[in-house]
Amino acid sequence: MKRLALIMALIAAPVLARETIGIYKGWGAFRDPDRCYAIAKPLLANGRAGGFASVGTWPAKRLRASFSLHLSTPRDRAAPVTLAIGERRFPLVGSAQDVWAPDAATDHALVVAMRSGRSMSASTVDPRHRPFADTYALAGAAAAIDAATLACVTG
């Protein structure tokens, strides 16, 4: 019984360390010991759960408003991933399910586009070459990004 209690405490520890900063429409802002971040689940995710978009700030790494995306479905690693926000298109790079901007300039440009966009969609193909897209509403994204960034700058 003690072992089960210890295991449960270890599993719960990271969740307990996370502090909610605020919820802004479909986006949440959170702080944990190493970072602050805005995060959302996709509206449409190829029929699967588990994908999310995040814009994080890591003070110790001197990263601010850095975009990342966990795709709802693993992609074909040879296939490009494109993030569309309005008329703008951004290439993303990364692993089978975790992708991000290829450089700081693209990272900055896509976060700026998120602030004025209505929705964004990441599209690629799965390992069987079937196309899929994860689509996110951007209402509340700017407020969540600002709250997360401010929490790490002042906290």
Side-chain angles (χ1 to χ4, degrees):
M1 192 60 132
K2 281 186 177 181
R3 186 175 184 179
L4 178 60
L6 178 60
I7 291 169
M8 292 304 290
L10 291 173
I11 291 170
V15 174
L16 295 175
R18 182 178 63 205
E19 174 190 346
T20 301
I21 298 165
I23 304 300
Y24 307 89
K25 303 213 181 216
W27 287 76
F30 300 93
R31 176 182 15 216
D32 65 30
D34 299 322
R35 66 189 172 130
C36 301
Y37 55 97
I39 191 167
K41 291 183 179 183
L43 297 172
L44 299 173
N46 199 36
R48 296 186 172 199
F52 60 86
S54 177
V55 178
T57 295
W58 287 262
K61 295 180 182 179
R62 297 178 189 243
L63 284 175
R64 190 171 182 170
S66 180
F67 177 83
S68 65
L69 188 72
H70 181 79
L71 298 167
S72 65
T73 302
R75 71 178 173 104
D76 178 338
R77 293 283 306 263
V81 180
T82 302
L83 182 71
I85 304 172
E87 298 298 318
R88 308 255 344 242
R89 303 290 179 267
F90 303 94
L92 301 177
V93 298
S95 67
Q97 264 187 295
D98 295 308
V99 293
W100 52 88
D103 53 51
T106 303
D107 199 28
H108 177 73
L110 75 85
V111 172
V112 167
M114 287 174 67
R115 292 177 165 284
S116 60
R118 296 174 100 184
S119 67
M120 68 180 182
S121 183
S123 58
T124 188
V125 298
D126 70 15
R128 291 183 169 180
H129 300 281
R130 293 177 298 201
F132 75 92
D134 292 348
T135 302
Y136 296 81
L138 291 174
I145 292 166
D146 289 347
T149 301
L150 187 60
C152 268
V153 171
T154 62

